[in-house]
Amino acid sequence: MRLVALNIESIPLGHPLPFVLRGADGALLAQKGDAIRTRAELDSLVARGLKLCVDTDESGDSHRAYLAPLQQGLLSDTSLGQIAAMKIQAGAPSGGERGGQYVPDWPELQLRATQLLRAPLAGDFEGRFQSLHSELIRTCEPTPDATLLALIYLSAQETRMYSATHAMLVCCVCMVVAREMLHWPDARVRQLGSAALTMNIAMTELQDQLAQQSQPLTSQQIEAVQDHSGRSEQLLRRLGVADPAWVEAVLCHHHRAPGPLAKRSEARQMARLLQRADIFGARLAPRVARSPMPVTAAMQASYYDEARQVDEAGAALVKTLGVYPPGVFVRLATQEVAVVLRRGATATTPRVAVVMNREGMPTGEMIPRDTSQAAWKIAGVVAYRDVRVPWPLDRLLALV
């Protein structure tokens, strides 16, 4: 453990912490993603004689993001007062390259999305939003399977930054479906992605709170959930979003109106696909009060419309992602447990890698299997909680 003291002024109040916050003795003060909401909370820590530190061994990337502007300031003519007041920057791309392809730092991207959507400001919203959206496009277009794997895998575990993780998942699912199955033009695909990222912008903090809440919703919370589409549309307009299709898609993404896409305007077509992907992603995600649904149930909920008929947008989603999309765990005919890495030639024959043998023990190394062969066909899905050994996301992505 290598602890470095932090200037109290550099702690981002009201925003998720981009690193684990520790005391001078290494004691845990706040987890990464937690928020210190007020200056009074911060002052109470200092009043208890605690020095605020970050462990550079566990928070390397975040700490480097913190140091970069400080180092730049010291090399320039920036005054010491300005340097002391510098805030942690978590907005710049922090990914890397693997095999010639860009690989984002997913935890950092979750944090950036959470910070943006929880506290959007008109003065810098456009730049921060375009940076985030562009980074998702940068990974989603050339490597859709790796992107889906990362976001489905994270969505099945995330509760503290649920809202932003869900928004990124819906964004990328919609863009992949629109591009690969519906063959929408690039400009419209990106427009759709923008709407997906911001569909819940007026209740981001509430969504995160509800993911952690075990008690029933209060009447105020129910009202906030029910009218969030309209409030999100109004907020986007105040933030300077002038694209009429984008804001209309956000406004209408909870409209319950079954029927073919061709009879809808472009904005309403986007809204319908958003709704189907929203249903899919929400059912995959855990809550403190409930476990996530099996992916097959999430797919079924998206596939059928309000009249229990096949929904055109939902069918496009299922055909694009497959019955077993990247990032989910499945049980093979051999009784081995495997993680889905890539979509396959058919909806039920993805490429997988075994992570637990038939005795339920970790394999150590992930073993590729061809599920199109009868010996290794998929027998069913496995809940994340039943995969007892957590696999680092970067190891899974390296196999895609």
Side-chain angles (χ1 to χ4, degrees), residues 278-295:
D278 188 17
I279 290 171
F280 166 71
R283 281 158 175 72
L284 283 184
R287 307 285 193 280
V288 167
R290 70 158 175 82
S291 299
M293 277 189 181
V295 68

Side-chain angles (χ1 to χ4, degrees), residues 1 3 20-30 48 50-53 58:
M1 184 177 289
L3 296 172
V20 175
L21 187 63
R22 294 188 177 277
D25 59 355
L28 177 67
L29 301 180
R48 287 157 52 195
L50 297 176
K51 184 176 289 186
L52 307 182
C53 300
E58 69 182 349

Side-chain angles (χ1 to χ4, degrees), residues 8 21 29-30 36 39-52:
I8 186 174
L21 187 63
L29 301 180
I36 297 177
R39 179 57 186 248
E41 289 182 34
L42 198 57
D43 289 341
S44 69
L45 292 176
V46 177
R48 287 157 52 195
L50 297 176
K51 184 176 289 186
L52 307 182

Side-chain angles (χ1 to χ4, degrees), residues 94-287:
S94 53
E97 299 283 336
R98 182 188 292 129
Q101 297 287 357
Y102 175 70
V103 180
D105 183 330
W106 286 108
E108 290 295 327
L109 211 53
Q110 284 179 292
L111 180 66
R112 284 171 52 199
T114 299
Q115 290 176 321
L116 173 66
L117 297 174
R118 275 193 184 179
L121 299 173
D124 64 358
F125 176 76
E126 181 179 2
R128 294 171 67 198
F129 178 83
Q130 292 303 332
S131 174
L132 173 67
H133 192 200
S134 295
E135 195 161 353
L136 289 174
I137 292 169
R138 185 180 176 189
T139 183
C140 189
E141 287 187 355
T143 55
D145 288 284
T147 303
L148 293 170
L149 186 156
L151 288 170
I152 289 174
Y153 184 80
L154 291 170
S155 293
Q157 305 169 64
E158 183 58 60
T159 56
R160 290 181 302 149
M161 293 188 284
Y162 161 73
S163 188
T165 307
H166 176 70
M168 291 194 296
L169 172 61
V170 174
C171 170
C172 290
V173 165
C174 284
M175 291 195 296
V176 171
V177 174
R179 181 178 297 109
E180 295 184 7
M181 185 62 60
L182 301 177
H183 306 296
W184 288 357
D186 285 347
R188 193 175 171 201
V189 170
R190 296 184 181 210
Q191 195 176 39
L192 171 66
S194 296
L197 271 179
T198 56
M199 63 184 177
N200 298 324
I201 192 169
M203 68 164 191
T204 300
E205 189 166 2
L206 175 60
Q207 273 198 316
D208 288 341
Q209 178 185 336
L210 294 179
Q212 300 280 331
Q213 181 173 309
S214 56
Q215 303 91 344
L217 274 66
T218 66
S219 58
Q220 292 86 354
Q221 288 173 332
I222 292 172
E223 183 179 353
V225 171
Q226 289 176 339
D227 68 5
H228 79 273
S229 297
R231 290 187 296 109
S232 293
E233 182 241 6
Q234 293 167 11
L235 176 56
L236 287 172
R237 292 187 185 278
R238 292 197 300 272
L239 291 169
V241 175
D243 184 329
W246 172 353
V247 295
E248 184 179 352
V250 168
L251 176 64
C252 301
H253 79 277
H254 277 296
H255 284 190
R256 301 174 66 82
L261 291 176
K263 293 185 177 180
R264 307 169 192 259
S265 68
E266 287 192 358
R268 298 299 177 96
Q269 289 179 20
M270 289 194 292
R272 188 62 179 182
L273 182 53
L274 279 181
Q275 186 199 60
R276 298 289 102 186
D278 188 17
I279 290 171
F280 166 71
R283 281 158 175 72
L284 283 184
R287 307 285 193 280

Side-chain angles (χ1 to χ4, degrees), residues 367-387:
I367 307 165
R369 292 283 191 250
D370 181 359
T371 62
S372 66
Q373 297 186 20
W376 292 315
K377 71 178 181 180
I378 294 175
V381 295
V382 176
Y384 277 76
R385 64 178 180 274
D386 295 331
V387 181

